[in-house]
Amino acid sequence: MKKEVTSKIKRIDTEVDKLRIKRKDTDTLKVKENVFDEPTLKTLYTLSNKKIIEAIGGSISTGKEANIFLAEDEEKDIAVKIYRISSSNFNSMEEYILGDPRFRNVRHSKRDIIFAWTKKEQRNLVRAKDAGIHVPEPIVAERNILVMEFMGENGTPYPQLKGYRLGKENAEKVFNIIINYVDLLYNKANLVHGDLSEYNILMIPEKDEPVFIDMGQSVTREHPRSIDFLRRDIENIVRYFKKYKIIADPQEIYTSIRNKEKKNEENDL
Ligand SMILES: Nc1ncnc2c1ncn2[C@@H]1O[C@H](COP(=O)(O)OP(=O)(O)OP(=O)(O)O)[C@@H](O)[C@H]1O
Ligand SMILES: [Mg+2]
C-alpha cells in the first residue's frame, strides 16, 4: 500500500471514496453505505487516533455479516473485519449469543448484539491461540470492528483450503492437524468452532500449514447446541478430505474427542 496521504483520517475518507469510485454499480454502493456508516467511521477514527490503524486499503472479502479489509498499522499489514450494523443477520447471531454464559448480560438491541459478537470473536481467537491453535492474532475489538493479524504475504491473503492444491502425501498430515485443532479447541479451549469448513481454514503455502479463521460464532461447551456444532464441524472436514482419499469415520473422531472430555472430568474429581 502507498503512504502518500499524510492525514490518517483523510486517508480513510479517501479510501472509502475510492471504493465508491472503483465500482459504481448500485449493489456495491449499497455495500459501501452499509459498511461505512457514521458509527463505523467514528470507530475507525478512534482506532486511527489510537494508532492502531494507520491506513485502510482494499477489500479482501464481503461476507454474510462482515467485510474484511487489508489495512496497515505503523509497521505492518493488518486485517480489519467490520461487522455491518445495518445489514447483519443478527437474528441468527442471537441464537449463538444467548446460549453462551459469557454473554449473559448483553442487552438485546441489534447494535449491542453485534458489538458483543465482535468481542466474542476476539475472545475466541485468544482462547484458541492460547490452546495452541494457529489463528490470526487479535489486536483490538472496538464496537463492530475487529483488528487482527493479517494472514498473508505482500498484501495477498493466504488461500482458503477450498482452493488450495495439496499434494497427496501432505493431505493426511493437514487432515490430522485440523482434527487435532478441533480436539484442542474442544478439550483445551472449551470451544467449538461452529462453522468449520474448507472456507474458514487458510493454508500457508509451502509449509502446508492450516490456520483457523472466522470464530465469531464459536461457542463454549456449555452452549446447548455445542454438541451438534462439534459433530457438524467434524463431518465437514471428513467430507472435504474424501477427495484426497482419506477415509475417516466422523463418529469415531467425535467419540474420541468427547471421551477425552470425560477423562478430564474424572481427573478433576
Ligand atoms: N486475518 C485475516 N488475514 C487475511 N485474510 C483474512 C483474515 N480474516 C479473513 N480473511 C479473508 O476474508 C475471508 C472472510 O473472512 P471470514 O470468514 O472471517 O468472514 P465472514 O464474513 O464471516 O465470512 P463468511 O460470511 O463468508 O463466512 C476469508 O476467507 C479470508 O480469505
Ligand atoms: Mg467465513
Side-chain angles (χ1 to χ4, degrees), residues 30-262:
K30 224 194 285 162
V31 165
K32 184 226 149 206
E33 266 146 34
N34 282 341
V35 184
F36 296 105
D37 51 14
E38 273 304 305
T40 302
L41 276 178
K42 273 202 188 131
T43 310
L44 280 173
Y45 294 158
T46 307
L47 291 169
S48 153
N49 287 336
K50 288 187 185 166
K51 305 222 180 286
I52 290 159
I53 300 178
E54 169 90 8
I56 188 150
S59 161
I60 296 177
S61 148
T62 304
K64 289 182 295 295
E65 280 118 21
N67 292 54
I68 315 259
F69 295 90
L70 174 64
E72 54 186 37
D73 65 12
E74 281 167 336
E75 292 149 18
K76 59 186 179 307
D77 283 343
I78 48 178
V80 176
K81 184 167 187 173
I82 304 181
Y83 282 98
R84 292 188 297 276
I85 296 176
S86 54
S87 66
S88 278
N89 178 6
F90 76 106
N91 287 330
S92 69
M93 284 183 171
E94 208 164 9
E95 180 196 355
Y96 290 86
I97 295 261
L98 292 185
D100 192 320
R102 296 173 296 169
F103 292 89
R104 233 171 251 142
N105 298 322
V106 172
R107 280 173 36 223
H108 291 183
S109 82
K110 184 169 168 175
R111 270 165 48 110
D112 286 333
I113 289 175
I114 291 163
F115 296 169
W117 188 264
T118 311
K119 269 259 172 293
K120 177 155 98 98
E121 175 151 28
Q122 179 196 35
R123 290 196 212 171
N124 289 340
L125 288 171
V126 170
R127 284 168 88 132
K129 184 174 173 278
D130 289 349
I133 293 136
H134 198 161
V135 294
E137 182 152 1
I139 300 166
V140 165
E142 181 99 20
R143 292 157 74 90
N144 59 325
I145 300 181
L146 172 66
V147 182
M148 62 187 144
E149 180 186 1
F150 175 68
M151 304 309 298
E153 232 173 342
N154 304 322
T156 308
Y158 293 138
Q160 294 172 334
L161 173 61
K162 165 77 184 166
Y164 187 78
R165 273 192 63 85
L166 260 177
K168 196 157 184 316
E169 65 291 354
N170 273 346
E172 186 155 359
K173 190 192 94 186
V174 172
F175 174 79
N176 289 332
I177 297 174
I178 292 172
I179 295 299
N180 184 44
Y181 278 179
V182 174
D183 186 346
L184 282 175
L185 256 188
Y186 191 78
N187 284 306
K188 213 165 159 193
N190 183 24
L191 281 179
V192 177
H193 185 287
D195 191 20
L196 196 63
S197 75
E198 58 275 28
Y199 297 95
N200 284 332
I201 299 175
L202 303 185
M203 290 298 299
I204 306 181
E206 269 128 56
K207 290 204 241 168
D208 275 357
E209 210 180 295
V211 178
F212 280 17
I213 59 160
D214 199 0
M215 297 194 67
Q217 71 295 316
S218 305
V219 296
T220 59
R221 294 196 301 217
E222 292 82 20
H223 192 283
R225 301 223 23 224
S226 66
I227 291 305
D228 303 339
F229 296 153
L230 176 64
R231 277 186 192 279
R232 194 177 63 191
D233 284 356
I234 295 169
E235 280 162 9
N236 283 343
I237 297 306
V238 169
R239 175 193 40 74
Y240 184 73
F241 276 89
K242 277 196 184 135
K243 71 178 202 170
Y244 291 107
K245 308 264 179 304
I246 292 174
I247 307 300
D249 179 4
Q251 178 63 35
E252 229 169 73
I253 296 170
Y254 168 82
T255 309
S256 129
I257 291 177
R258 288 299 308 274
N259 279 345
K260 282 191 200 156
E261 175 190 5
K262 294 195 183 101

